[in-house]
Structures are given as structure tokens and as C-alpha cells.
Amino acid sequence: MRRRGLLVAVGWLATAALATVIGLGAIRLVGESLTGTPGGVRGEDEIARALASAPPTPAWSGAPSTSSPSAPSTGDSPARRTFTTAGGRAVAECVPEGVRLVSWAPAQGFRVRDVDRGPDDDVEVSFEGGAGEYELKVRCLGREPVAVEDD
């Protein structure tokens, strides 16, 4: 009787081990789509190589710069201009009540700390991040928005 119990236990362990091996083999055969992320988990050096080969993004300048007005300056439509800093970019327009921030977005690694969107005599947006703090202040000169130094 004792011998029969030992054979049952060994048989059960062998069956469990065989089922585990078959299950692991099936998971490996199916691949990462079942157990992981598509493309697998990437290491730091692989990520660094991928970022280094990424297409270049527009450089951020340290001081505010402007692009050409995005809307023609006619009698009916307000003049809009985009301003960029190292911390982010903002779009402002001159309206009858003063200047108004239309939109703003922080650069990568930055966040918006404070916004005064107007309309008012001047508007401000502050971006802060690990590389520092950048403040953009805009006023209207005539009917055109211009970046000005903070008072």
C-alpha cells in the first residue's frame, strides 16, 4: 500500500511539472503579445539610441521670439502672433479690450506655473521646469502683440 501512494505522488508531481513546461512553452511560442508590450521592454541605452535618431524638433530660444502674424491684420480681425521661450510657447492677439492670450503650451520638461490671459493692458504666462523659470509678458503696440520685459 505504501508503495502505491509513493507512485501516485511521483506521478502527480511529474504530471504537474510536464503541464508547467508545456504551458511555458506555449506562452513563449505565442510571444510577447500575450505577456508583454508590443516590441518588448526596452533598456535605457536602447531608448537613448532611439531618441538620438529621432527627427529633430524645433529648437527653443532662450528669449522670446515671434513668428509672423498668423492672421492678416485687417480692420475686422485681430492680429495674432506666436511667442516662444525655452519654457514654452504662447499665442496672443490684440483685441479692442487690450491683449489676450489665445493659447499656451509648456515645452517638454516644463509646466505652466501661472497665467494671466487677459484681455488687459498686458498678459503673462510663466513656465517652470528643471532648466529654470521662463516668463513671457505681452502687450499690444498699435494693433500688434509684442513681447516686453517684465516690470
Side-chain angles (χ1 to χ4, degrees):
M1 194 64 143
R2 189 172 181 156
R3 189 173 194 183
R4 186 173 183 209
L6 183 61
L7 285 175
V8 169
V10 169
W12 186 86
L13 286 174
T15 304
L18 183 61
T20 301
V21 169
I22 290 172
L24 290 174
I27 289 173
R28 187 168 212 182
L29 184 63
V30 170
E32 294 174 345
S33 64
L34 181 64
T35 62
T37 58
V41 178
R42 297 181 177 207
E44 285 184 45
D45 53 336
E46 188 177 0
I47 293 170
R49 282 194 305 271
L51 288 173
S53 66
T57 57
W60 296 90
S61 64
S65 65
T66 61
S67 66
S68 60
S70 57
S73 183
T74 64
D76 295 340
S77 63
R80 282 189 179 180
R81 184 156 286 168
T82 301
F83 301 89
T84 60
T85 70
R89 74 178 60 204
V91 177
E93 69 182 3
C94 293
V95 295
E97 298 83 18
V99 64
R100 176 176 78 92
L101 280 180
V102 176
S103 65
W104 54 91
Q108 186 171 359
F110 286 84
R111 68 179 183 87
V112 175
R113 186 176 61 94
D114 192 30
V115 176
D116 173 13
R117 72 181 300 170
D120 204 347
D121 291 339
D122 54 51
V123 293
E124 296 180 45
V125 59
S126 300
F127 304 103
E128 74 177 3
E133 185 176 322
Y134 295 90
E135 196 168 283
L136 175 64
K137 187 173 189 175
V138 179
R139 288 189 177 152
C140 285
L141 183 60
R143 295 196 54 155
E144 297 289 324
V146 294
V148 294
E149 293 291 322
D150 200 16
D151 297 323

